[in-house]
Amino acid sequence: MMLNAKKLKLSSKKFMVIVLTAISLMAVGLTAGTTVLNSVEPTIAQADTWDYTLIHVEFDKRNDDVSYKDLKFANINIKPGQTRTFSMPKFAGFTPLYKTIKITESKTGAGITSNLDHKWVFYSQVATSKKTTTKPKVDPVKYATKKLSKQVKLAPGHNFFSHVPGSKYSYKTTHYGNTYKGRTVKVNMSAKRPGTKTPYYRVVIGKKTIGWIYGGALVNVTTYKTVKKTATVVAKPINNFYNHVTSSIYATKLTHYGKTYKNKKVTINMQGTRQGTKTPYYRCAVNGKNIGWIYGGALSNVR
């Protein structure tokens, strides 16, 4: 049987298999005038072996390039009346339209047939894609071990999180900042995000980790004590009077300009020392009336 490949309309990106009828090597002659050499009994007890030939395997590639290959299922052991299923041959980069082929031996043992006799079987070329390797996520945040005491502002404006926002870790709220307002807490680690000046701090109370909070919600600890002192405001003060110690847990506002009381004597009734600052702040009064807190550097003759 001759096939004119030029007359066939082939779908692109497929390869085709022409399946021809199995030829019995034991019962059928292969001469031009095919004849039965031996008569066949109605039933055959033993299994027979066949070569089921697949010819003209056509590779129709994605770039329309075509190539051919001959194949066959060799030495198929099959009994009369039996049907066996075989996987279609595999070719790297191609996938078959039919995954399997069923080959059946006639009940009389006269020959074998398949569900693909005289049919075209198409293979499609699989589109290749470049494998992309996912690089491990790099944490942009820089961490440092710390051993600090801080105070949570009375109006912190931030909450505590399980991880630093903007790090490689997902995060969730662990506590509201207001829950710990005014509390003195311990800090055991800081975290600096790129492009930011203020770090995050990991806060601990006792042995319990509260979470990470933005540094703007915390201040250095200020300690207070009652005193009875006098002092004189310097001639050219560069500091002013405020209602609270600046950079403390309290929100502050200006009460008086320092220059308003230049060279004047004041009484001091309270002292506040902020952690990390050697010179204390003083709460001053004039004629028994508080005028505010001022940095000690604006006063002289404190005694």
Side-chain angles (χ1 to χ4, degrees), residues 170-183:
S170 58
Y171 65 92
K172 63 181 181 180
T173 301
T174 55
H175 299 277
Y176 292 112
N178 283 334
T179 302
Y180 295 93
K181 63 183 180 180
R183 293 281 298 272

Side-chain angles (χ1 to χ4, degrees), residues 20 29-30 45-46 51 57 67 143 179 254 277:
L20 300 184
L30 299 179
Q46 77 275 15
D51 280 354
V57 178
S67 59
Y143 300 88
T179 302
L254 178 72
T277 304

Side-chain angles (χ1 to χ4, degrees), residues 109-174:
I112 61 175
T113 58
S114 83
N115 61 319
L116 301 181
D117 279 352
H118 308 299
K119 294 181 180 179
W120 294 95
V121 181
F122 299 97
Y123 278 66
S124 299
Q125 186 175 26
V126 179
T128 58
S129 59
K130 293 183 179 179
K131 291 184 179 180
T132 56
T133 56
T134 304
K135 294 182 179 180
K137 196 172 183 179
V138 178
D139 195 344
V141 177
K142 303 299 181 184
Y143 300 88
T145 301
K146 297 291 181 180
K147 193 175 182 180
L148 304 171
S149 290
K150 294 281 186 180
Q151 286 180 306
V152 181
K153 288 182 178 180
L154 293 181
H158 299 274
N159 297 319
F160 294 92
F161 299 103
S162 55
H163 289 287
V164 178
S167 70
K168 70 176 182 178
Y169 304 101
S170 58
Y171 65 92
K172 63 181 181 180
T173 301
T174 55

